[in-house]
Amino acid sequence: MSEQTDPHRDPWPLRNLTLRTPRVELRPDDDAGLAELVEVARKGIHDPNTMPFLSLWTDAPPEELAPNTMRYFWSARAGLVPEDWHVNCLVRTDGRVIGTQELHAQHFLVRREVSSGSWLGRTHQGRGLGTEMRAAVLLLAFDHLGAHTARSEAFGDNPASLGVSRKLGYVDDGTTVQLRRASSAGATVGGEARDLRAPPWALQVHGMEACRGQLGLGSPT
């Protein structure tokens, strides 16, 4: 029986993908981890007087924040196809979920481009973990998937996110004015990285080979 028709083949190999850095572990989302992530979000991600996200999801009333968050991650998981995928990794330290790191691509084998997005609970910010977790998915993209370009975008008044981009070698490539909270506008700064400024540590990757078909990279060997 060929591997393509093997009924015992894992239908969702992303469940076993694991990325490890010196301080964090990243794995694609699962329901138990999402329940932890909701609690992190409830404790706060940013100053309520600011809005770092294009989607105003953190403005939702407390009773709506949890189901909205779960629906978002479920929809991304359900909509993942080889031509258009969002891999949302839960970020853990010492076994506890502290945030999330996304990697996204469309028609990857043609474009060889990825984009990313992330957030950490406020109590975990300011320790360099945001740089470490984005470096992890970029190392995966460039060294294991064959990406040529990585893109990112952040509001100009979000120095933490822009700082992560510049540490990792992104170059600013223009601004776009975005409506924010309906009553104000903010300029987002786009960034492009073709040569990752690699961190002084090696990324440990487990389970990637089995995910190749799911991400449109060809059948696993």
Side-chain angles (χ1 to χ4, degrees):
M1 181 177 292
S2 72
E3 186 177 19
Q4 292 294 327
T5 58
D6 183 355
H8 302 295
R9 185 177 175 188
D10 190 340
W12 199 261
L14 278 169
R15 78 178 84 237
N16 298 315
L17 178 63
T18 305
L19 311 179
R20 291 192 178 95
T21 76
R23 295 187 294 171
V24 299
E25 179 184 85
L26 293 83
R27 299 202 310 270
D29 59 21
D30 58 85
D31 286 358
L34 288 179
E36 289 187 62
L37 187 69
V38 165
E39 293 308 310
V40 175
R42 281 174 168 158
K43 293 176 182 176
I45 301 169
H46 58 86
D47 183 336
N49 294 318
T50 67
M51 176 48 70
F53 304 122
L54 289 175
S55 170
L56 309 183
W57 66 277
T58 51
D59 280 351
E63 66 275 12
E64 296 178 13
L65 181 65
N68 287 352
T69 301
M70 300 292 281
R71 277 191 289 265
Y72 169 78
F73 284 94
W74 284 336
S75 65
R77 201 190 309 169
L80 188 150
V81 292
E83 299 80 19
D84 186 355
W85 44 262
H86 292 258
V87 177
N88 289 299
C89 289
L90 299 176
V91 181
R92 292 176 170 88
T93 57
D94 301 321
R96 297 180 298 111
V97 173
I98 62 170
T100 180
Q101 174 70 63
E102 177 201 41
L103 192 68
H104 170 231
Q106 291 181 309
H107 302 287
F108 179 79
L109 280 184
V110 177
R111 301 176 67 198
R112 296 288 180 177
E113 181 176 281
V114 296
S115 59
S116 62
S118 63
W119 59 262
L120 282 168
R122 291 186 77 177
T123 59
H124 305 286
Q125 297 172 13
R127 298 161 48 195
L129 297 175
T131 302
E132 200 163 318
M133 63 201 225
R134 198 194 309 179
V137 295
L138 293 184
L139 286 168
L140 177 74
F142 282 106
D143 294 348
H144 295 264
L145 306 185
H148 296 164
T149 309
R151 301 195 60 80
S152 183
E153 190 174 30
F155 280 109
D157 57 5
N158 187 350
S161 180
L162 295 174
V164 169
S165 295
R166 287 160 186 158
K167 286 178 186 176
L168 294 175
Y170 288 76
V171 177
D172 294 353
D173 68 347
T175 61
T176 304
V177 177
Q178 305 277 2
L179 191 66
R180 184 158 55 170
R181 282 179 170 164
S183 60
S184 65
T188 58
V189 180
E192 177 182 87
R194 292 182 179 271
D195 295 304
L196 176 64
R197 192 171 297 154
W201 42 262
L203 177 68
Q204 298 179 41
V205 180
H206 301 281
M208 180 61 230
E209 187 61 26
C211 300
R212 294 185 62 82
Q214 197 170 8
L215 300 180
L217 302 173
S219 299
T221 57

